Amino acid sequence: MKVHGKPMRSIWVEPDGAAAGVIDQTRLPHAFTTVRLTTLDEAAHAIRSMLVRGAPLIGATAAYGVWLAMRADASDGALEKALTVLRGTRPTAVNLHWALDEMRRALAPLPASGRVAAALRRAGEICDEDVAINRAIGEHALKLFEAAWEKKGRKGRLNVLTHCNAGWLATVDWGTALAPIYLAHDAGLPVHVWVDETRPRNQGAVLTAWELGQHGVPHTVIADNVGGHLMQHGEVDLCIVGTDRTTAHGDVANKIGTYLKALAAKDNGVPFYVALPSPTIDWTLKDGVREIPIEQREGTELSDVTGRLRSGEIATVRITPDGSPAANYAFDVTPARLVTALVTERGVCPASEEGLLSLFPERRGKAA
Ligand SMILES: CSC[C@H]1O[C@H](OP(=O)(O)O)[C@H](O)[C@@H]1O
């Protein structure tokens, strides 16, 4: 997408190949800064600290992390160490494991002498594939937006609610849940986005709002608990969210709070769509609630808030009493029964084993 009118992706390789570059998402929206990743440890830190975040971008960053590791030491031991270090950065997004499996598949059979070039090539392919997947998801989801607009009699505006950030900042480009929003806006469909702030890290208020503002998409930031009220009053025409891991039976892990939004949508008859790139499908799992690992992060992400003072200074303040512990669950799982449909790069399907196999028949007989 574009930043201040300049096209860019959320991750890149410097022209001289000296480093991978990423946007420091912990400083948005008040500062737009980029960071050079030159070592395995820098790539791992970027993922762990959420300087980069979002399931597909985590996978892409890990892929370049393997490249950076191979530049230092392309031995079998160094490859295994790199894969282990990167796998341990964050537990929920399955794209991390998918990307690392892809890198192992590409590099393990090669002699050390061929691994640096092969790692750079495969990491670049993973990024290009992500962009194509997300654009395709956008096109398929756009048809759902257009149907909702027709159903509404093409009056007023199409109100879409999204949770967290599943935009281009969460991927290499386009985003998943936000891809159809960009396409709809660019096609002249009067889309308006209710942006869940998404406590505690506020990816919605900070990142989705920034993305939509950069693209000129009308949007309104709301507290996480407002969505149900808006749905009760007919102010939400559809919901669309991203995912960090979806099981072979269609259970969806996504940012904490997604499940509650899906419950409200079901109760109010509001379509609830999940934008699902195929690398985010975990074909080995069935029951998401019981099997998907849910990341727990530091309580200070909930007790402390970072923002810009009226003086312009960026500051972090504590909002809870010093003696009050905080529990910080980063994801929850929305059961397939609450999902209206999954939107993949191959098309739209019911959130079910048979639905996914209808789009991915090569997986039949191999699913969980
Ligand atoms: C397109 S994946 C976006 C997905 O990742 C976010 O989690 P985090 O910001 O913690 O990496 C959130 O679950 C988004 O829906």
Side-chain angles (χ1 to χ4, degrees):
M1 301 308 279
K2 291 184 178 175
V3 177
H4 306 309
K6 177 173 167 275
M8 76 179 301
R9 287 181 170 185
S10 62
I11 188 168
W12 60 90
V13 175
E14 292 182 345
D16 62 1
V22 295
I23 299 165
D24 181 347
Q25 299 191 26
T26 64
R27 292 176 56 81
L28 287 173
H30 305 302
F32 181 86
T33 55
T34 60
V35 172
R36 300 180 73 242
L37 305 179
T38 62
T39 66
L40 165 66
D41 288 346
E42 287 174 354
H45 171 73
I47 297 169
R48 209 178 289 119
S49 66
M50 294 181 67
L51 190 143
V52 298
R53 29 65 53 199
L57 181 56
I58 288 170
T61 305
Y64 279 115
V66 174
W67 166 60
L68 295 169
M70 293 298 96
R71 291 198 317 181
D73 176 353
S75 66
D76 290 351
L79 175 58
E80 285 311 310
K81 179 196 168 197
L83 295 170
T84 301
V85 165
L86 290 161
R87 273 192 210 285
T89 51
R90 293 186 72 190
T92 303
V94 72
N95 307 59
L96 172 64
H97 303 283
W98 173 83
L100 292 172
D101 290 346
E102 286 295 306
M103 296 304 286
R104 177 201 289 270
R105 206 185 330 273
L107 302 184
L110 300 179
S113 59
R115 286 177 172 168
V116 175
L120 181 59
R121 182 168 55 249
R122 188 66 192 111
E125 290 168 351
I126 285 171
C127 289
D128 293 342
E129 289 160 12
D130 181 63
V131 174
I133 285 170
N134 299 338
R135 177 66 196 253
I137 286 172
E139 297 291 352
H140 291 304
L142 178 60
K143 297 188 181 82
L144 299 171
F145 282 34
E146 289 165 343
W149 181 231
E150 287 300 328
K151 183 180 175 192
K152 194 172 185 180
R154 305 173 69 83
K155 290 191 178 69
R157 63 189 191 182
L158 183 69
N159 288 307
V160 176
L161 184 145
T162 195
H163 190 72
C164 199
N165 173 255
W168 70 272
L169 288 172
T171 67
V172 176
D173 202 350
W174 278 107
T176 57
L178 296 195
I181 289 171
Y182 292 127
L183 291 174
H185 175 76
D186 293 348
L189 201 148
V191 64
H192 164 265
V193 185
W194 296 115
V195 178
D196 275 359
E197 62 176 338
T198 317
R199 287 281 293 148
R201 288 188 66 108
N202 303 315
Q203 287 95 323
V206 166
L207 302 178
T208 296
W210 181 81
E211 277 198 38
L212 296 176
Q214 285 288 319
H215 203 77
V217 179
H219 60 281
T220 306
V221 178
I222 53 175
D224 288 324
N225 298 321
V226 171
H229 166 76
L230 292 172
M231 294 183 208
Q232 285 176 325
H233 291 269
E235 292 294 332
V236 180
D237 298 305
L238 64 91
C239 298
I240 188 164
V241 299
T243 174
D244 296 81
R245 188 184 306 224
T246 291
T247 70
H249 288 198
D251 292 341
V252 173
N254 196 49
K255 185 51 53 196
I256 192 77
T258 303
Y259 170 45
L260 296 179
K261 212 56 56 149
L263 283 171
K266 190 76 173 180
D267 190 51
N268 289 281
V270 173
F272 190 87
Y273 298 115
V274 176
L276 171 61
S278 57
T280 313
I281 303 170
D282 185 338
W283 296 100
T284 69
L285 300 184
K286 294 178 186 175
D287 182 339
V289 172
R290 278 153 194 73
E291 297 182 277
I292 295 177
I294 298 298
E295 180 182 20
Q296 290 193 52
R297 295 184 63 89
E298 286 296 319
T300 49
E301 292 185 351
L302 192 150
S303 60
D304 299 357
V305 177
T306 299
R308 183 179 59 200
L309 302 178
R310 287 190 173 66
S311 64
E313 181 195 349
I314 305 295
T316 298
V317 297
R318 168 129 322 165
I319 60 171
T320 59
D322 288 340
S324 298
N328 182 7
Y329 295 88
F331 298 95
D332 59 23
V333 176
T334 300
R337 60 181 163 79
L338 298 177
V339 177
T340 306
L342 300 170
V343 187
T344 78
E345 66 270 25
R346 294 189 187 181
V348 181
C349 72
S352 66
E353 179 183 20
E354 200 44 50
L356 283 168
L357 291 175
S358 70
L359 293 179
F360 299 92
E362 70 275 21
R363 288 284 179 173
R364 195 171 292 281
K366 299 176 187 167

